[in-house]
Amino acid sequence: MLDFLELDDGGLLHFQPNFLPAEVSDRCFEQLRDQVDWHQKPALFGHMQPRLSASFGDVGVTYRYSGTVNIALPWIAPLLEIKQRIESVFGSYNFCLLNRYRSGADSMGMHADDEPGMGNVIGSVSLGASRSFRIRHNRTKETRTFPAGNGTLIIMAGTMQQFCKHDVPKTKADVGERINLTFRQIAMETN
């Protein structure tokens, strides 16, 4: 069982730098950067998301958030390799949302992954450049920052999505590219 940091109101966070060996992280980063068909999707209020994204997973899985529809493409080798490594320590996942941060200007705003039909465990792996991952408690406003570097694993569980928000803020620092993989368990839609 992994060690979890217990947050207020039942949230759980596991932070593990160097979860993936550097050679695995570097290889998977290059494969995903070069082989994935990346897209910049619309965000709220007619703007574009400040990052590129892609979606992979089990056949028939669709993830909806903030007005975007993410239909899973079939798993590819580097994602299956990382998925198996995470599942060997915690969780079970049928979907992966990939976000590609091209520079410090690309970001993810403060949000919670609390959409209906999504489980309460998210396994997140960072590849490439190090960026800050912040969590903020909704009631106390306490904010914690974690350095999400190459090969870092972050698992969010418990009631974290109900009581906390998280983000990857912009930075003016000269950082390289980063790819973040968020593995989730999404309920299958029924018609």
Side-chain angles (χ1 to χ4, degrees), residues 19-173:
F19 170 73
L20 295 178
E23 62 274 9
V24 173
S25 300
D26 292 344
R27 175 177 45 80
C28 289
F29 174 85
E30 290 176 7
Q31 290 172 329
L32 294 170
R33 181 195 62 204
D34 297 342
Q35 296 173 13
V36 168
D37 185 17
W38 296 96
H39 296 277
Q40 188 170 19
K41 294 193 172 193
L44 299 175
F45 311 114
H47 300 285
M48 297 301 282
Q49 292 180 349
R51 63 195 170 277
L52 303 177
S53 63
S55 303
F56 292 84
D58 292 355
V59 173
V61 177
T62 299
Y63 174 49
R64 301 172 193 276
Y65 72 93
S66 299
T68 65
V69 177
N70 301 275
I71 299 170
L73 295 171
W75 292 109
I76 56 176
L79 293 176
L80 282 175
E81 177 181 356
I82 295 171
K83 175 181 178 287
Q84 290 166 352
R85 286 176 181 261
I86 298 172
E87 288 180 334
S88 73
V89 295
F90 197 84
S92 176
Y93 311 100
N94 65 358
F95 182 85
C96 183
L97 178 66
L98 291 71
N99 285 300
R100 181 176 173 185
Y101 301 85
R102 298 160 290 184
S103 70
D106 281 359
S107 63
M108 173 72 77
M110 197 59 80
H111 71 288
D113 294 312
D114 55 359
E115 294 81 10
M118 188 169 70
N120 69 334
V121 176
I122 297 174
S124 174
V125 171
S126 294
L127 304 172
S130 184
R131 293 288 296 270
S132 293
F133 172 80
R134 296 187 307 188
I135 61 170
R136 183 181 70 209
H137 191 275
N138 296 339
R139 179 178 44 80
T140 67
K141 305 303 181 198
E142 178 186 11
T143 302
R144 299 181 187 187
T145 302
F146 300 86
N150 194 28
T152 297
L153 171 65
I154 296 173
I155 295 179
M156 298 177 277
T159 60
M160 183 172 164
Q161 302 305 321
Q162 287 74 41
F163 294 101
C164 296
K165 290 186 172 51
H166 56 280
D167 74 347
V168 176
K170 293 181 187 295
T171 178
K172 292 186 179 182

